Amino acid sequence: MYYIDHCTTPFGPVTLASDGTHLTGLWFDGQKYYASTLPEGAERRALPVFTQTRHWLDCYFGREPLPPLPPLRPEGSPFRQAVWQLLLEIPYGQTATYGALAEVLARRQNRPSLSAQAVGGAVGHNPISILIPCHRVLGSGGRLTGYAGGLERKAGLLALEREGLSRQAGERFPGEG
C-alpha cells in the first residue's frame, strides 16, 4: 500500500509519498513527471516518515543545520538509482554538471564513457525532489537547465543554498573574537 500527504513550502505545495516506512516521492504539485512512480489508490495518511520529511524541509528552508534524511526509497531502474545516489553526494550549496556526473558514474561502473544526456534523463525523473538534490545539477558551462519543477524553482533553491552557506560562514561561535 502507498500513502500520500501534502505540505506547503516557500516554493509551492508539494505532495509526499510513502510505502508506509520510506519516502518514495516528493513532487512540487503540477511539476513534470508529477507522481510518476506513485501507484493509483494511494490514500492520505499521517506517517512518521512524513513528519520527519516536513521537519527536514523546515530546516532546509529555514537555512538551519539539516537533520539526517528520512529513509528514502525512490523507485527506478538500476541506472537511475546509481544516478540518484550520485546526486546525494553533491554537497549542500555546490553544483555539478551532467557531464561530470556521467564521468564519475562511468568510472564507477568501469565503462569507457556514459552519455550526459542519459544522466540528464535519470536526473529529470528523480521522484524525490529537494532531498535528492537534482536542482544542484547544471548544464555544460554552468548553464541553468532542466528541472522538472521549473527553472525558476531551481534558481531559487540554488540561491537559498548559497545564502545558507553565506549565513553559516558569517556565524561566530562562543569564544571567537
Side-chain angles (χ1 to χ4, degrees):
M1 186 68 192
Y2 281 80
Y3 305 96
I4 59 168
D5 203 357
H6 303 279
C7 70
T8 302
T9 74
F11 290 82
V14 296
T15 297
L16 309 173
S18 173
D19 60 8
T21 305
H22 305 88
L23 188 70
T24 59
L26 188 156
W27 302 274
F28 286 104
D29 290 2
Q31 81 172 47
K32 191 174 184 180
Y33 311 120
Y34 175 81
S36 61
T37 59
L38 183 63
E40 288 196 30
E43 59 184 59
R44 190 165 183 168
R45 181 171 295 170
L47 295 171
V49 71
F50 293 151
T51 301
Q52 195 176 359
T53 301
R54 275 196 286 291
H55 174 67
W56 192 95
L57 289 169
D58 288 344
C59 291
Y60 177 83
F61 288 114
R63 295 166 196 86
E64 299 171 12
L66 294 174
L69 286 169
L72 306 177
R73 184 173 285 161
E75 295 183 17
S77 69
F79 178 76
R80 286 182 177 177
Q81 294 285 342
V83 171
W84 300 334
Q85 183 57 49
L86 272 180
L87 297 178
L88 288 167
E89 297 173 25
I90 303 171
Y92 178 92
Q94 296 185 26
T95 58
T97 63
Y98 297 100
L101 293 178
E103 288 176 17
V104 169
L105 192 55
R107 211 172 28 253
R108 287 184 182 177
Q109 294 180 348
N110 295 314
R111 297 173 66 168
S113 66
L114 274 172
S115 159
Q117 289 80 10
V119 168
V123 170
H125 284 84
N126 168 25
I128 304 178
S129 294
I130 306 171
L131 282 75
I132 298 178
C134 52
H135 61 278
R136 295 181 189 152
V137 184
L138 303 174
S140 62
R143 287 180 303 119
L144 194 63
T145 183
Y147 187 60
L151 289 181
E152 188 174 299
R153 280 192 184 119
K154 183 174 188 168
L157 292 168
L158 292 172
L160 179 137
E161 291 186 14
R162 280 192 305 272
E163 185 180 309
L165 284 177
S166 294
R167 181 186 287 183
Q168 291 170 11
E171 290 179 358
R172 294 199 175 263
F173 296 94
E176 283 188 336

